[in-house]
Amino acid sequence: EEKRITANTAAEWRSRMVADGVTPRSINTRMSALNSFCDYLGHRELQNHDFVDEPEVALPELTRSEYLRLLSAAKHLEKERIYFIIKTLGGVGLRIQELPQMTVEAVRAGSVEFHYHNNRCQRTVRIPEMLRMKLLDYAGREGIKTGPVFCTARGKPVARTHICKMLQQISQTARVDEEKATPRCLWNMYQNTRED
């Protein structure tokens, strides 16, 4: 009420959200935002790391042959943008939230560097040379000179929901179950099939 954060604020807010039936994932996202805000203010002592346990949800497993069928269907339907999105998510190992950072500049450089948790964590993803050349050709044909490779006509990154919708549409032609044609399943397939 007084717009003040005290030592009890985070715990009380967490309890209220649980009582209101907010999903564990949403609670954890909000608690993380509060923790980041407290860190920004220089008051880490007000943070709360008592996150809600999220139930394990078994995702259907996308096989390599289903991945190849998705690529083939996108090519057959002449859906070049979703073809390259599928190839990037499943072939390079990007998460959907990282896709806007796949810029023309990063493709030219041959790798993308991601920073997380206020720069405390980072990872670098190398773009295979053949995909790099194809993405540069695609960007050139689309008139994309800088910024995200996968963008709208206004230059904004393609929305996650739109990517999911495009994947669902391709899945029918590819004869892949809709629940497998998701960015998360593409990420998991990459993780399960990459060479260590």
Side-chain angles (χ1 to χ4, degrees), residues 70-100:
L70 285 171
L71 287 171
S72 179
K75 193 174 258 190
H76 173 75
L77 295 170
E78 298 179 358
K79 305 277 187 182
E80 195 173 31
R81 180 168 58 178
I82 193 62
Y83 171 84
F84 283 117
I85 289 173
I86 293 167
K87 196 145 184 84
T88 301
L89 293 174
V92 178
L94 261 62
R95 298 175 181 100
I96 191 167
Q97 65 266 29
E98 296 170 336
L99 210 52

Side-chain angles (χ1 to χ4, degrees), residues 12-22 27:
E12 290 170 1
W13 188 35
R14 179 191 182 282
S15 296
R16 192 170 345 118
M17 287 188 286
V18 169
D20 290 344
V22 178
I27 292 171

